[in-house]
Amino acid sequence: MRNLDQDTITQAVIAGFEQTPDPRLKEILTNAVQHLHAFARETRLSEAEWMEGIRFLTAVGQQCDEKRQEFILLSDTLGLSTLAVAMNNPKPAGCTQATVLGPFHVAGAPSYAHGEDVANGAPGVPCLVRGTVRGIAGDALGAARIEVWQADAQGLYDVQRPGLAQHQARGVLHTDAQGRFFFRTVVAEAYPIPADGPVGALLRATRRHPWRPAHLHFMIEAEGYESLVTHVFREGDRYLDSDAVFGVRSSLIAEWVPHDGPEGRHYTLDFDFVMNKAAV
């Protein structure tokens, strides 16, 4: 372990993992070191540049709290989240595609019955969301757990509003015996991801915009089926082809249909989800 240089350091570090009892941990650490060292060699990374990288990652961690996950945001904007989702969620034809979780999912969302208003006071134009959850064979999935969350008309999630006493524009409901669900909320609008932290600084340095196309988040769980984390995107949004977190799938784009009535304009969104069977 003495007199290590740029030609011998990598193998010396890898040798330090030889006694790791968990084989998967050993594999991950070995490959991580190999790729990190190869990156440093390929770019001829200077000490000053590496220290700047450490400062950046430190700032990302310091921005994280129970309401904001800057590391997920970094992973999203670098495409790593989408890569991990694509590798780990292969779906047969006909199943609803998965996409990124995003940094604003939180535990403890309130429960709602069918037809209730999950917006719960969030600003925006009223919208009725309807659909079904079915298996790949077409069977209705009753009692499937559906968790939804979204930004409001001002481009904010409830956890971004300091002092808000209750959750807004997020909730949990369950499908009926025919696999149906419906709830009221507000129309999804495009919004910028938080750009006041180190990830925003990175986007500005690379001349990238921070905008996400309008969407609703869904997390669906049904017994005997793979869990599904996905979005439904709004047809016609200007950012569908330049999503800051690379999450758009054509099969997840749907139309928010406008309606005018005595109480003003409102919208409807209809979308059906198809779940893949879990491996036995």
Side-chain angles (χ1 to χ4, degrees), residues 142-182:
R145 181 185 187 275
I146 302 176
E147 185 169 355
V148 298
W149 66 102
Q150 69 172 98
D152 60 30
Q154 297 172 357
L156 296 173
Y157 289 82
D158 54 359
V159 294
Q160 294 177 280
R161 294 187 176 279
L164 193 65
Q166 57 190 1
H167 283 303
Q168 291 182 330
R170 72 172 70 236
V172 175
L173 57 153
H174 293 80
T175 58
D176 66 15
Q178 287 74 48
R180 299 174 299 190
F181 67 89
F182 65 102

Side-chain angles (χ1 to χ4, degrees), residues 11-22 26 29-30:
Q11 288 307 313
V13 176
I14 291 172
F17 302 143
E18 280 302 318
Q19 303 304 313
T20 305
D22 185 331
K26 179 181 177 182
L29 290 173
T30 297

Side-chain angles (χ1 to χ4, degrees), residues 25-277:
L25 176 60
K26 179 181 177 182
E27 179 185 11
I28 290 173
L29 290 173
T30 297
N31 280 278
V33 167
Q34 288 176 327
H35 286 287
L36 286 170
H37 286 212
F39 162 75
R41 291 188 177 96
E42 182 180 344
T43 60
R44 301 195 61 81
L45 191 67
S46 72
E47 292 175 86
E49 289 166 339
W50 179 228
M51 285 306 301
E52 188 59 34
I54 289 174
R55 291 189 192 96
F56 174 78
L57 292 174
T58 300
V60 170
Q62 291 170 336
Q63 193 72 53
C64 297
D65 56 30
E66 69 277 3
K67 294 183 178 180
R68 175 166 172 172
Q69 234 302 345
E70 193 82 356
F71 263 112
I72 291 180
L73 203 61
L74 177 61
S75 175
D76 288 352
T77 57
L78 293 179
L80 185 57
S81 298
T82 291
L83 174 59
V85 167
M87 290 191 303
N88 289 280
N89 292 274
K91 305 291 184 186
C95 281
T96 303
Q97 290 182 282
T99 190
V100 296
L101 176 68
F104 292 114
H105 175 263
V106 297
S111 294
Y112 290 93
H114 287 164
E116 289 192 305
D117 184 8
V118 306
N120 197 24
V125 178
C127 180
L128 176 65
V129 180
R130 303 173 295 203
T132 62
V133 179
R134 297 187 176 277
I136 184 67
D139 45 322
L141 299 185
R145 181 185 187 275
I146 302 176
E147 185 169 355
V148 298
W149 66 102
Q150 69 172 98
D152 60 30
Q154 297 172 357
L156 296 173
Y157 289 82
D158 54 359
V159 294
Q160 294 177 280
R161 294 187 176 279
L164 193 65
Q166 57 190 1
H167 283 303
Q168 291 182 330
R170 72 172 70 236
V172 175
L173 57 153
H174 293 80
T175 58
D176 66 15
Q178 287 74 48
R180 299 174 299 190
F181 67 89
F182 65 102
F183 60 91
R184 290 178 291 135
T185 184
V186 292
V187 172
E189 303 286 357
Y191 65 88
I193 62 173
D196 57 339
V199 172
L202 178 62
L203 292 179
R204 289 188 292 275
T206 54
R207 300 296 189 269
R208 286 175 56 191
H209 73 70
W211 285 84
R212 296 218 64 203
H215 61 275
L216 292 179
H217 293 264
F218 286 83
M219 180 185 293
I220 305 177
E221 299 173 340
E223 185 175 357
Y225 289 81
E226 295 176 352
S227 295
L228 174 66
V229 175
T230 194
H231 301 0
V232 178
F233 295 92
R234 188 175 175 185
E235 177 68 72
D237 192 285
R238 63 181 294 192
Y239 298 110
L240 286 172
D241 294 313
S242 62
D243 180 12
V245 309
F246 308 101
V248 177
R249 304 288 178 271
S250 295
S251 65
L252 302 178
I253 299 172
E255 185 179 4
W256 269 248
V257 179
H259 306 272
D260 292 308
E263 297 181 359
R265 172 156 289 199
H266 69 281
Y267 287 76
T268 54
L269 166 65
D270 292 278
F271 198 88
D272 297 326
F273 297 92
V274 180
M275 307 280 282
N276 191 32
K277 278 276 192 182

